[in-house]
Amino acid sequence: MSGNSGMERLIPIVNMLQDSFASLGTSIQIDLPQIAVVGSQSAGKSSVLENFVGKDFLPRGSGIVTRRPLILQLLYSKNAEYAEFLHAKGKKFADFDQVRKEIEDETNRLTGSNKGISNIPINLRVYSPHVLNLTLVDLPGITKVPVGDQPADIEIQIRNMILDFISKDNCLILAVTPANSDLANSDALKLAREVDPSGMRTIGVITKLDLMDEGTDARDILENRLLPLRRGYIGVVNRSQKDIDGRKDIKQAMAAERQFFLAHPSYRHIAERLGTPYLQKTLNQQLTNHIRDTLPALRNKLQSQLLSLEKEVAEYKNFSPDDPSKKTKALLTILQDISKDFEKAITGADSSEVNTKELSGGAKINRIFNERFPFELVKMEFDEKELRKEITYAIKNTHGIRSGLFTPDIAFEAIVKKQVSKLTQPSIKCVDMVIMELTSLIHKITEKMARYPLLREETERILNSHLREKEQMCKDQLCIYTDIQLSYINTNHEDFIGFANAQQNTKTENQRKVGNQVIRKGYMGLHSGVSIMKGGSKDFWFVLTTETLSWFKDEEEKDKKYMLPLDSLKIRDIESGLFSKRHSFALFNMDLRNVYKDYKQLELSCDTLEDMDSWKASFLRAGVYPEKQKVEAEENGQERKDEIGSIDPLLERQVETIRNLVDSYMKIINKTTRDLVPKIIMHLIINNVREFVKNEVIAHIYSFGDTNSLMEESADEAIKREETLRLYNSTKEALKIIADVSRDTISESIPPPVRHYESSLPTPNYNQRPASPKIPRQAPQAPSARPAPPAPSSAPVYQPSQPTPPSHNQSSVGFNFNINPNNASGVAPPNRPASVQNASATLPNPLIPQRLGQQPPAIPKRPTSQYPN
């Protein structure tokens, strides 16, 4: 045993943590050092595990029996003996025959009843006064030929499953090999050597020692001389099939095992290091030591897990499902948090909560106001050719049968009102986009109420009902705004050019020349001129100004690829490629001239729809407008053309004058609309909903009546709360235990590496060698690599000890070679003791140079005559 109760208590605590992680589905994994049992089919793995527990509880039969990994957690219990499954929480199995049936049923549930396999483990915990704390994984036996409905690659599947477990650095490997097969062909040792070439984690177990042919034994294997392992081999004798069929008691079988080793001439000298009790004790010690070595990493993972749970647990600590006062307090707290979250989402969050992945809330609404809405307004702008035709008809219809000498203002008002009435549609669409974003925001902020589904449903209903009410009110106000604009055409506006200026100004004079200002920069994909072999597109850094569109290799803007003038360009939507997830549009010339090299249009793309809409809005600011939908000519189009007749110079001047007046007035209206529509939406919808969430939601919730029913947890949330609190408390307890665990646990160190020595190396006779009078030693067990000494005699026997690696406060020394001050020579020997005359005062040459965990230089061969007889 480890000699430290804190260390012993750590194993069941971390077992509990692993079960908690598996139940909650958390991403973090704290890998408790465990022992994976690996071996070929029918090697005796299951029998070894049953001997540990002292009960028959594992399925048995011919062929492959273990078809799912079984994670077996053995926990010492002073007074109780029962088993529990993780998939059947709260159900205790006192009858271990029922445990076997449950394992078979759970295995068949996933794998079928015809020898199928699965890598999903079964978690079994056994409490017993006859076990030591251990965590073992019983893996399917290595097989070669598929049977039943097993796939053809069953060998590869089982191999990969085993490697998944034993590849972890914190997994000890229990390589089980039957004694009646050749050790060099052991599948278990072969897999162990692949993932653990140094042998740091591999423990060999030799089964079926009683079934070896007469005259043969496994002494060389058990003494670690044949295919030596760093941790050595331990032999066990399991029950035979006849014993199992006869229901032979495991305690009697273990007594027979003990008697077998004591009576066998090849094993009696090492009987104390063989058998199931010694194996169980050794595994407990090795697992405990392994946990001690991994404590720093385990502590760090537990602390990270505790920090991640702090915020969530804060909501649960003071919650009591049966306390109305605490329910009321929780309700008020949640509603206040909802109000704060909504306010932050609209006005902007602080630096600690800002979303760095996407736009949301107020930022999206801002984009709607300043990019999407202006773009919708521009799309409603008039077509030049169609407008002139409408003006001509209006002038002629105004004059009637008479020929007019002056420009009629009635024709101007008729054209202006028709254009103003078109503003209602983009304004209504702007409201719809804002409502959609607010609805999404409400759903997002109520995620805090997921624990209380009725409360969340009622809160969303109240907020959405209020939102729809304000939506209709806002749309009505926008229609009224359009009617107000139509009710009076203000030709005395200070920005209106008037009739006199309209007759003098030309189209070129109306266009204000501004400097070549930068409007937008960013990455877009260029499709035109890019080879399909390169993916059909390539990203460049684009710079849009009021006059040109340029693109560069990157944002440093040093390597310019091309500069495209924006004159006479239009913009249109195009369909993306079949397998493309990008959103595309194109620039083209109205007169069908080439835009870029030999291409009629310049095809561009963006990663998201929002980016594409933002670029389109930027092109509008640069004077690049979307393509107008072409109206097909009517069948009597020629007749309509003839109806207009030839336009005389006077009518041409009148059309031009009204055209300039309409353009001037619509600029005023558009400017006003861009300013007022966002303000109307902000006042009637957004600010109103903010005040409603802040001040009135609580009253509407209490008007529901039974608030206690609103605060009822869902079944899933109640389970999650209990699991989270249990996980939090278990994590704190584990950290506390780790803090109390002493680093000076009494334990054996990892054995030194095993080396193969030359067969010619002489083997001294320890019985005839006198013991050193200078350095008394306590004689532990002899190393397994040496042959066993004969029966003890009266002569002193030298037995080399296995030193323990020095602790942190110990110097790294092996044996004490200091000379006694009374020695006549008075000279301290060198690091490697030289030959001296007094042979009785010298130590024998070491046969295992790795005693101190170091690699000393090789010892030259000496004649055997140098050793005293």
Side-chain angles (χ1 to χ4, degrees):
M1 301 294 289
S2 64
N4 189 319
S5 60
M7 185 69 76
E8 289 298 317
R9 287 188 294 127
L10 184 62
I11 296 178
I13 286 296
V14 183
N15 282 344
M16 187 187 306
L17 282 174
Q18 284 188 325
D19 289 349
S20 299
F21 295 147
S23 301
L24 294 176
T26 54
S27 58
I28 184 171
Q29 291 293 332
I30 296 182
D31 295 321
L32 171 69
Q34 56 193 8
I35 302 172
V37 185
V38 183
S40 59
Q41 187 173 302
S42 302
K45 306 185 304 300
S46 299
S47 296
V48 172
L49 298 181
E50 286 184 336
N51 289 347
F52 287 168
V53 178
K55 298 286 184 178
D56 291 318
F57 68 97
L58 293 175
R60 292 186 176 276
S62 60
I64 181 170
V65 178
T66 304
R67 296 183 285 126
R68 287 178 59 182
L70 176 68
I71 299 179
L72 178 62
Q73 297 174 354
L74 304 181
L75 297 175
Y76 175 78
S77 176
K78 189 173 183 180
N79 300 317
E81 187 172 17
Y82 62 92
E84 287 182 341
F85 288 92
L86 183 61
H87 63 267
K89 290 184 178 179
K91 185 177 181 181
K92 296 182 179 180
F93 294 81
D95 184 357
F96 281 80
D97 289 336
Q98 293 298 319
V99 173
R100 180 191 300 109
K101 185 177 184 303
E102 182 67 21
I103 294 175
E104 293 174 346
D105 293 343
E106 183 65 14
T107 300
N108 294 334
R109 186 179 65 84
L110 283 185
T111 63
S113 58
N114 199 16
K115 305 301 182 182
I117 68 169
S118 171
N119 60 353
I120 301 176
I122 299 175
N123 289 66
L124 173 62
R125 181 176 293 175
V126 176
Y127 297 86
S128 172
H130 310 300
V131 302
L132 299 178
N133 291 337
L134 278 177
T135 301
L136 305 108
V137 183
D138 186 19
L139 296 170
I142 304 169
T143 185
K144 303 292 184 182
V145 180
V147 296
D149 60 358
Q150 292 177 346
D153 61 343
I154 183 68
E155 180 183 2
I156 299 176
Q157 289 189 23
I158 294 179
R159 172 187 171 87
N160 292 337
M161 184 192 305
I162 294 174
L163 290 176
D164 286 341
F165 281 89
I166 67 176
S167 296
K168 299 177 182 178
D169 292 336
N170 60 354
C171 180
L172 299 178
I173 305 170
L174 196 65
V176 180
T177 304
N180 55 359
S181 65
D182 191 354
L183 189 66
N185 296 326
S186 172
D187 294 323
L189 291 177
K190 180 181 177 182
L191 285 176
R193 183 166 295 182
E194 287 184 20
V195 298
D196 183 33
S198 64
M200 290 283 293
R201 302 186 283 116
T202 305
I203 304 170
V205 175
I206 306 299
T207 62
K208 303 184 180 181
L209 290 169
D210 55 333
L211 301 181
M212 298 186 69
D213 294 337
E214 186 176 353
T216 62
D217 58 54
R219 177 173 177 174
D220 288 345
I221 299 174
L222 298 177
E223 291 180 349
N224 210 21
R225 288 187 289 180
L226 179 65
L227 294 178
L229 291 177
R230 193 161 182 174
R231 296 179 184 266
Y233 295 87
I234 299 175
V236 295
V237 175
N238 299 324
R239 292 177 299 168
S240 65
Q241 188 61 45
K242 181 180 178 181
D243 295 336
I244 296 173
D245 295 339
R247 309 287 292 181
K248 183 176 182 179
D249 186 67
I250 292 182
K251 292 182 179 179
Q252 296 178 4
M254 293 177 67
E257 176 192 51
R258 174 69 175 169
Q259 184 63 32
F260 171 81
F261 288 127
L262 290 174
H264 199 288
S266 299
Y267 308 136
R268 62 167 66 117
H269 64 287
I270 54 174
E272 297 301 324
R273 292 187 285 113
L274 300 175
T276 300
Y278 180 78
L279 175 61
Q280 188 176 10
K281 180 180 179 181
T282 300
L283 295 182
N284 172 267
Q285 183 65 64
Q286 299 287 4
L287 184 59
T288 304
N289 292 343
H290 211 37
I291 292 178
R292 179 202 62 191
D293 296 336
T294 57
L295 279 182
L298 182 61
R299 182 188 296 109
N300 292 338
K301 284 190 175 183
L302 289 172
Q303 288 174 342
S304 300
Q305 176 70 2
L306 190 67
L307 291 175
S308 65
L309 290 173
E310 285 285 357
K311 185 177 181 180
E312 190 174 358
V313 169
E315 303 176 8
Y316 299 145
K317 281 184 177 179
N318 299 321
F319 180 80
S320 177
D322 302 324
D323 191 341
S325 62
K326 290 189 176 181
K327 282 187 175 181
T328 303
K329 182 179 179 181
L331 174 62
L332 293 175
T333 302
I334 291 174
L335 294 177
Q336 290 173 359
D337 291 341
I338 292 294
S339 175
K340 293 178 182 178
D341 291 345
F342 189 83
E343 185 72 17
K344 288 180 180 180
I346 295 298
T347 60
D350 53 33
S351 59
S352 61
E353 300 178 359
V354 65
N355 189 343
T356 58
K357 295 182 179 179
E358 61 179 359
L359 294 180
S360 61
K364 274 193 173 181
I365 295 175
N366 179 273
R367 168 173 279 188
I368 293 172
F369 287 160
N370 295 291
E371 294 182 2
R372 299 293 300 277
F373 179 56
F375 181 74
E376 296 297 329
L377 285 178
V378 172
K379 289 200 312 186
M380 300 302 297
E381 283 189 356
F382 42 78
D383 180 79
E384 184 69 25
K385 185 177 180 180
E386 188 67 23
L387 178 62
R388 287 182 178 274
K389 187 185 294 185
E390 291 176 356
I391 293 174
T392 301
Y393 284 131
I395 292 175
K396 284 182 173 290
N397 290 330
T398 300
H399 289 156
I401 197 172
R402 297 166 295 155
S403 298
L405 298 177
F406 303 101
T407 304
D409 56 350
I410 296 178
F412 163 72
E413 289 192 8
I415 298 299
V416 165
K417 287 182 178 180
K418 184 176 180 180
Q419 298 298 323
V420 170
S421 63
K422 295 179 180 180
L423 298 177
T424 303
Q425 182 179 352
S427 300
I428 296 299
K429 188 172 182 179
C430 182
V431 174
D432 291 337
M433 289 188 290
V434 172
I435 291 297
M436 186 181 300
E437 180 57 34
L438 289 177
T439 302
S440 175
L441 179 60
I442 289 172
H443 182 73
K444 183 177 180 180
I445 64 174
T446 54
E447 288 179 353
K448 286 189 173 182
M449 299 178 174
R451 291 175 55 199
Y452 314 105
L454 293 178
L455 176 62
R456 181 178 185 179
E457 181 181 349
E458 182 65 16
T459 303
E460 287 192 13
R461 185 192 66 79
I462 293 172
L463 291 177
N464 287 328
S465 298
H466 184 76
L467 188 61
R468 297 302 174 187
E469 179 184 340
K470 296 305 172 183
E471 174 191 2
Q472 189 58 45
M473 183 185 299
C474 183
K475 288 181 177 180
D476 293 341
Q477 289 296 323
L478 291 176
C479 292
I480 293 174
Y481 164 75
T482 303
D483 294 339
I484 291 173
Q485 292 288 2
L486 293 172
S487 65
Y488 179 65
I489 306 301
N490 183 16
T491 56
N492 292 321
H493 195 281
E494 59 182 3
D495 294 333
F496 187 62
I497 60 175
F499 276 86
N501 293 330
Q503 293 175 351
Q504 297 175 4
N505 291 347
T506 61
K507 182 178 179 180
T508 55
E509 290 174 340
N510 281 332
Q511 292 179 348
R512 297 181 178 178
K513 297 293 183 180
V514 296
N516 192 22
Q517 300 175 352
V518 176
I519 297 177
R520 184 183 177 89
K521 295 181 179 182
Y523 278 104
M524 281 194 296
L526 176 65
H527 296 259
S528 302
V530 179
S531 172
I532 298 179
M533 299 299 294
K534 297 181 179 179
S537 68
K538 187 176 182 181
D539 286 347
F540 290 98
W541 179 261
F542 283 81
V543 178
L544 176 65
T545 67
T546 53
E547 296 179 1
T548 62
L549 175 67
S550 305
W551 55 91
F552 302 81
K553 180 180 179 181
D554 50 38
E555 60 268 23
E556 294 183 0
E557 299 182 13
K558 293 181 180 180
D559 185 7
K560 180 183 287 188
K561 299 299 182 181
Y562 199 81
M563 184 173 68
L564 178 68
L566 299 179
D567 295 339
S568 303
L569 292 184
K570 296 288 184 179
I571 190 171
R572 66 159 65 118
D573 291 329
I574 60 175
E575 293 184 0
S576 301
L578 181 61
F579 301 103
S580 175
K581 296 183 180 179
R582 299 171 70 95
H583 302 270
S584 303
F585 63 97
L587 302 177
F588 68 99
N589 255 318
M590 291 296 293
D591 53 7
L592 301 181
R593 289 186 290 110
N594 290 342
V595 176
Y596 170 62
K597 295 183 179 180
D598 296 331
Y599 295 92
K600 298 294 184 182
Q601 63 181 17
L602 182 69
E603 298 182 7
L604 305 171
S605 66
C606 301
D607 289 330
T608 63
L609 181 61
E610 292 181 351
D611 287 342
M612 185 179 73
D613 291 338
S614 181
W615 272 104
K616 285 182 179 180
S618 300
F619 276 108
L620 292 179
R621 293 175 57 193
V624 180
Y625 297 108
E627 178 186 20
K628 299 297 181 181
Q629 298 295 331
K630 296 183 179 180
V631 180
E632 296 182 358
E634 300 180 4
E635 294 181 359
N636 59 349
Q638 187 64 34
E639 296 179 2
R640 294 189 60 192
K641 182 177 181 182
D642 294 339
E643 288 178 4
I644 299 176
S646 60
I647 301 179
D648 57 47
L650 178 60
L651 181 59
E652 181 68 27
R653 286 195 300 271
Q654 291 176 352
V655 170
E656 184 67 26
T657 299
I658 293 181
R659 165 68 182 79
N660 291 336
L661 291 172
V662 171
D663 185 53
S664 175
Y665 195 81
M666 288 308 299
K667 285 182 178 179
I668 298 172
I669 297 299
N670 283 335
K671 184 178 180 180
T672 304
T673 302
R674 289 187 184 186
D675 181 59
L676 283 181
V677 169
K679 290 180 178 179
I680 294 172
I681 296 174
M682 193 73 190
H683 174 68
L684 294 179
I685 297 180
I686 299 175
N687 287 343
N688 190 284
V689 173
R690 286 169 59 190
E691 292 298 320
F692 182 81
V693 172
K694 183 177 181 180
N695 300 322
E696 300 184 34
V697 169
I698 296 179
H700 283 75
I701 290 292
Y702 276 96
S703 66
F704 178 79
D706 186 10
T707 56
N708 287 331
S709 63
L710 293 179
M711 295 300 292
E712 292 293 333
E713 282 185 310
S714 66
D716 293 340
E717 286 297 325
I719 294 175
K720 181 181 178 182
R721 173 173 57 84
E722 294 175 0
E723 290 287 351
T724 303
L725 289 174
R726 184 165 67 91
L727 176 61
Y728 178 79
N729 293 329
S730 299
T731 306
K732 288 184 65 176
E733 184 177 358
L735 284 171
K736 182 177 182 299
I737 292 175
I738 290 176
D740 295 339
V741 169
S742 171
R743 297 295 294 178
D744 295 329
T745 303
I746 303 173
S747 60
E748 296 180 1
S749 62
I750 298 177
V754 178
R755 295 186 60 187
H756 298 275
Y757 296 99
E758 294 82 4
S759 58
S760 60
L761 187 66
T763 303
N765 188 345
Y766 294 118
N767 291 333
Q768 298 180 6
R769 180 175 299 166
S772 172
K774 295 294 183 181
I775 308 174
R777 303 179 188 276
Q778 181 180 359
Q781 298 171 356
S784 58
R786 295 193 179 96
S793 62
S794 59
V797 179
Y798 169 76
Q799 290 184 331
S801 64
Q802 184 70 26
T804 303
S807 62
H808 296 293
N809 54 4
Q810 237 178 343
S811 60
S812 299
V813 294
F815 303 107
N816 183 12
F817 286 108
N818 294 332
I819 302 300
N820 193 308
N822 298 327
N823 191 350
S825 63
V827 179
N831 292 334
R832 180 180 178 184
S835 300
V836 293
Q837 296 298 326
N838 187 5
S840 62
T842 10
L843 290 172
N845 292 324
L847 294 179
I848 301 181
Q850 294 84 355
R851 282 176 177 168
L852 304 181
Q854 301 174 352
Q855 188 71 22
I859 302 175
K861 300 178 181 178
R862 296 186 178 92
T864 55
S865 59
Q866 291 183 1
Y867 294 96
N869 293 324

